[in-house]
Amino acid sequence: MKIQYFLEVLPMEARSGRKPFRILSLDGGGTFALIQAKVLDDLFPGEDGHQVLSHFDLVSACSGGAIVAAALIEGYSPREIFELFDNCVNRNALFGRLPWYRSLLQLLTCAVSPSSPVGQRFSTEGKLEFLHRILPRMGTISLQSLHGILNDSIASVRSQRGEADKPMSFLFVTYDFDRDRARMMRSNVTSPAASFPHRQQRATLAEAAHASSTAPINWFDKPAEFDGCRFWDGAMTGYNNPVLAGVVEAIALGVPRCDIGVLSLGTSTVFLPESGTEGIPDALCRPRSRTGFLPELVKVGKTIIADPPDAHTFIAHLMLDGGLPLDVSCCPHTETAIVRMNPMIQPVIDRHTGAWSVPAGWSVEEFRRIAEMDISASRQDDVDLIKRLCDGWLQDAWHNQPIRSCGTWVPPSSHLFVANTDSLCEIGHRWYSDAKSAWTALSAR
């Protein structure tokens, strides 16, 4: 019945050869979410939020990506969303500092262990106030009501392009603090992926984005709270990269797997060789992690933005019948329904000398700063580095994150070493330009 419904909605031409059902997946990443805005502006120049959303049938978002999605629903263009993050007043409201007497643990642990301070720094209530301020039209509307409002607007946009109307929905990943489990806040409350009973979705757009983006331990002072429930950042569920949530939702709706295409936008990821790796200077390597209560507590807190979320793209690739390379000579394998766009913070090979180095125009000190930068970066010089990272990546000066990378760094002496570093990319696209071309081809089918 579900598949029959979907086929009735789609025109006949969409059932043959194209990827008619498109998912936009938006990772978490705090201030680094400005990267997603830059990508969307590059892919859909001059379009407002609803025009951008009209190119997709489902949006899955988490944390910082949920704020980007909410801004698109409000109607902001990608350029305007970028400017929201690029504004220091907005950043200081999003990450509003607690007074010193409410962040004593952070101060005390910083004095004991300057490299591993632990403790809450930002105001949860202040973040909600910020979200209400930037979402004046749609922020107070429930997700369930927005489902109809947004679909009416998108239907109008598609009609102007001569395209058939079909339903569009969105979901935000959150962590239910009291029930200790993931909770998907959906605009389509009757989704077959939702457990019974299908309840009315009371969360407003601002509240849902708030629930999805309240990172604990080292960031906000208390869970987001509304409608008698409390929530932490959706990244706590392992869905900081929410691509699996979107793919599962589509399959539950009855969409044939062969019809699903996904644009997965990240907010940068750090993948450095281990210290002592042959042929790579230690300054470009990851130092061995310290042990002890405070360093380990910090490491546990930061796992919400590292693997396993990165692995979800590979799992989604397999779920959509993506293939695997037979051996290293077949890498990179680029036949996939998942287009991952995410800057990789890692050394690159100098094409002239063959030596590992930082990307052109960067110093080793700047490279270390961007690799170690917190997701709550608010100082202008830090944000300027994020923008430089993004601009360089868009111009193929930094690697793009593949769907699956080589499991370890390949030294130059190895027979597996390839001078252009494509051997580090097993599945997916090594450069942004390749990923962009792949998405253009996939979405045009």
Side-chain angles (χ1 to χ4, degrees), residues 34-232:
L34 66 83
I35 292 171
Q36 296 172 343
K38 289 277 279 188
V39 174
L40 292 172
D41 186 49
D42 185 53
L43 297 177
F44 309 106
E47 297 193 2
D48 65 29
H50 290 192
Q51 289 171 321
V52 170
L53 292 173
S54 71
H55 297 286
F56 300 93
D57 304 285
L58 175 65
V59 177
S60 57
C62 183
S63 196
I67 296 176
V68 172
L72 290 172
I73 294 167
E74 176 70 19
Y76 287 97
S77 69
R79 179 67 58 87
E80 291 169 330
I81 298 173
F82 171 81
E83 291 169 352
L84 284 175
F85 284 98
D86 197 29
N87 183 300
C88 65
V89 174
N90 289 334
R91 292 195 303 271
N92 290 333
L94 174 60
F95 298 108
R97 285 276 177 180
L98 294 169
W100 67 268
Y101 54 86
R102 291 179 58 192
S103 54
L104 286 176
L105 181 60
Q106 177 79 200
L107 296 173
L108 291 172
T109 55
C110 185
V112 174
S113 178
S115 62
S116 305
V118 177
Q120 303 150 338
R121 292 175 285 166
F122 309 120
S123 168
T124 300
E125 292 178 355
K127 177 163 65 71
L128 181 58
E129 291 174 4
F130 164 74
L131 291 172
H132 278 301
R133 176 167 63 80
I134 67 169
L135 304 171
R137 294 188 306 120
M138 304 291 195
T140 57
I141 301 175
S142 71
L143 301 191
Q144 185 170 353
S145 298
L146 274 176
H147 187 75
I149 295 170
L150 189 60
N151 270 287
D152 287 345
S153 177
I154 288 176
S156 176
V157 173
R158 287 174 173 164
S159 176
Q160 292 172 17
R161 294 201 300 255
E163 297 175 1
D165 184 27
K166 51 181 176 174
M168 185 268 184
S169 59
F170 58 91
L171 64 86
F172 296 148
V173 184
T174 69
Y175 175 84
D176 190 317
F177 179 85
D178 295 298
R179 299 185 67 197
D180 289 328
R181 63 193 64 205
R183 177 167 163 186
M184 307 296 174
M185 294 192 172
R186 297 176 170 87
S187 65
N188 178 13
V189 294
T190 62
S191 166
S195 57
F196 293 115
H198 292 165
R199 298 184 179 89
Q200 180 180 359
Q201 180 57 264
R202 296 181 180 178
T204 66
L205 179 63
E207 289 171 340
H210 184 48
S212 184
S213 60
T214 305
I217 301 176
N218 242 32
W219 290 281
F220 290 94
D221 62 334
K222 59 183 179 181
E225 185 171 1
F226 53 87
D227 196 27
C229 301
R230 294 180 293 178
F231 302 93
W232 266 348

Side-chain angles (χ1 to χ4, degrees), residues 328 410-418 423:
V328 72
V410 182
S413 60
S414 169
H415 71 283
L416 297 178
F417 179 78
V418 179
S423 62

